[in-house]
Amino acid sequence: MTVDRFGRTFQDLRLSVTDRCNFRCPYCMPKEVFGPGYQFLPRADILSFEEIVRLTRVFARLGLRKLRLTGGEPTVRADLPALVGMLRRAVPGVDLALTTNGSRLTSLADDLAQAGLDRVTVSLDAIDPEVGQRMNGVEFPLQRVLDGIDAAAAAGLAPVKINAVIQRGVNESEITRLAEHFRGTGHIVRFIEYMDVGASNGWKLDDVVPAAEIIERLQSELPLEPVDPSYRGEVARRWRWKDGSGEIGVITSVTQPFCGDCTRARVSAEGKLYTCLFAGVGHDLREPLRSGRTDEQIYERLAGIWRAREDRYSELRSAATADLPKVEMSHIGG
Ligand code: SAM
Ligand code: SF4
Ligand code: SF4
């Protein structure tokens, strides 16, 4: 078994299939930075479906258990269901998931489910249309995202996980609204602490609503009790409503980091491997894929990178780490 410098194995891969997105959430791709003149990756620089599948097979040898397709917005990549089908056949035992802003699920959910997708996470930061539409940066109608969640459930991708980033003074009002909206549906809302990813969102610690405060707000409406993690390294801390009406989660990346159990790696759309969400530099995997290296050689490269891994950014987060160069979230998909 390949372990890193802190004894952590590799298990999860988040694979970005595009750096483009049809939303401009200010905490991720602020319009001022990602405007009309922004240079996204040229098509030729992005891994093809065949290259993605080949790389995934090699990651399977390293211990891959969960593969999550992300972006940018993964559903803006043409023929995404075809890629899901190819991956399903290549790594049949691996849990195959998708993180999306939900904007295209009404038309894609059936095809994705039929191609073999196991699960979907939809990012949704509000129930109030005005707050939600402001937070997606393009006034995208919230109802279409809610319809997308229903379409995913109807296609058999239930329960759906709903990711909500909570920002002080922006959508705190939505904490209870989101919880109430999805209570009793079987879907699971996960509240995410706003993180200092990338260099364009102007993050300040004051903008973070700590998970403890989120739980307190929810508890004041209806009692909750903690649930044991379903496996070691689970990112969300689980809670359930005492009346049996469902479960929620909180992702405490800022206030209670979980680097000690971090088994995740990320690959950007152009094939760079990042061993931490906050890594400044990626390891180029496209060059070996395109220069005739064998699978064995690529496997050796991956194993070597993993063995040398010593990332634990969130545990070290401090004034000293604040100015280090970091990759953008929209580049590696969260
Ligand atoms: N476009 C897809 C989506 O929004 O689900 C996938 C990519 S997006 C980068 C993945 C996740 O990262 C989303 O749930 C988003 O809310 C989250 N995210 C982006 N920027 C964040 C930040 N600064 N802090 C916390 N979560 C963030
Ligand atoms: Fe796009 Fe997702 Fe980033 Fe929002 S969070 S801008 S939907 S990539
Ligand atoms: Fe993993 Fe890096 Fe996040 Fe820590 S900061 S949990 S090492 S991705």
Side-chain angles (χ1 to χ4, degrees), residues 37-309:
Y38 186 81
Q39 286 293 308
F40 289 98
L41 292 168
R43 185 62 213 256
D45 287 2
I46 289 185
L47 296 188
S48 67
F49 285 1
E50 289 71 24
E51 287 167 335
I52 289 175
V53 170
R54 183 175 169 212
L55 202 53
T56 302
R57 277 210 183 91
V58 181
F59 272 110
R61 283 182 57 191
L62 196 68
L64 179 67
R65 290 199 192 162
K66 290 183 175 190
L67 176 61
R68 178 171 293 278
L69 301 180
T70 177
E73 172 49 38
T75 61
V76 306
R77 175 105 188 225
D79 297 330
L80 187 69
L83 174 63
V84 169
M86 288 164 76
L87 289 166
R88 179 73 300 159
R89 289 187 289 279
V91 287
V94 167
D95 181 45
L96 192 50
L98 172 76
T99 300
T100 170
N101 60 26
S103 59
R104 298 192 174 184
L105 278 181
T106 45
S107 54
L108 281 177
D110 274 334
D111 290 349
L112 289 168
Q114 270 165 29
L117 189 72
D118 292 315
R119 295 181 300 118
V120 67
T121 298
V122 177
S123 304
L124 176 71
D125 301 322
I127 293 297
D128 181 277
E130 209 177 299
V131 179
Q133 284 160 214
R134 193 172 347 114
M135 287 187 79
N136 66 44
V138 293
E139 300 272 309
F140 188 87
L142 218 59
Q143 188 56 46
R144 278 170 60 192
V145 177
L146 294 169
D147 292 345
I149 293 171
D150 290 344
L157 297 170
V160 177
K161 285 188 181 149
I162 319 287
N163 272 4
V165 176
I166 305 301
Q167 275 179 291
R168 178 82 70 204
V170 177
N171 64 338
E172 289 158 285
S173 59
E174 300 304 304
I175 297 172
T176 45
R177 282 213 180 107
L178 281 158
E180 269 160 24
H181 186 91
F182 290 104
R183 201 149 56 79
T185 62
H187 304 323
I188 302 169
V189 184
R190 290 142 24 117
F191 298 96
I192 305 178
E193 289 178 345
Y194 175 43
M195 288 186 284
D196 49 337
V197 282
S200 40
N201 62 12
W203 184 89
K204 295 192 300 307
L205 190 56
D206 292 350
D207 300 332
V208 179
V209 181
E213 185 183 324
I214 294 172
I215 295 294
E216 237 168 66
R217 279 173 182 255
L218 293 170
Q219 290 265 32
S220 67
E221 304 277 323
L222 200 70
L224 280 163
E225 62 190 2
V227 182
D228 287 337
S230 25
Y231 55 90
R232 183 165 181 242
E234 191 170 32
V235 170
R237 289 171 191 239
R238 301 167 60 196
W239 294 77
R240 71 175 152 235
W241 303 108
K242 281 193 179 163
D243 70 357
S245 59
E247 198 177 309
I248 58 129
V250 283
I251 302 185
T252 61
S253 354
V254 180
T255 58
Q256 291 166 292
F258 35 78
C259 303
D261 284 335
C262 181
T263 54
R264 282 175 297 283
R266 294 167 166 90
V267 172
S268 66
E270 86 272 47
K272 286 209 171 119
L273 169 64
Y274 293 86
T275 54
C276 176
L277 184 51
F278 299 91
V281 269
H283 306 267
D284 186 14
L285 301 178
R286 191 182 62 202
E287 191 276 329
L289 278 172
R290 293 187 178 173
S291 66
R293 303 288 161 148
T294 63
D295 287 0
E296 187 59 34
Q297 286 171 320
I298 296 175
Y299 171 77
E300 284 307 328
R301 179 160 163 78
L302 295 183
I305 293 168
W306 193 264
R307 275 192 292 270
R309 177 184 188 243

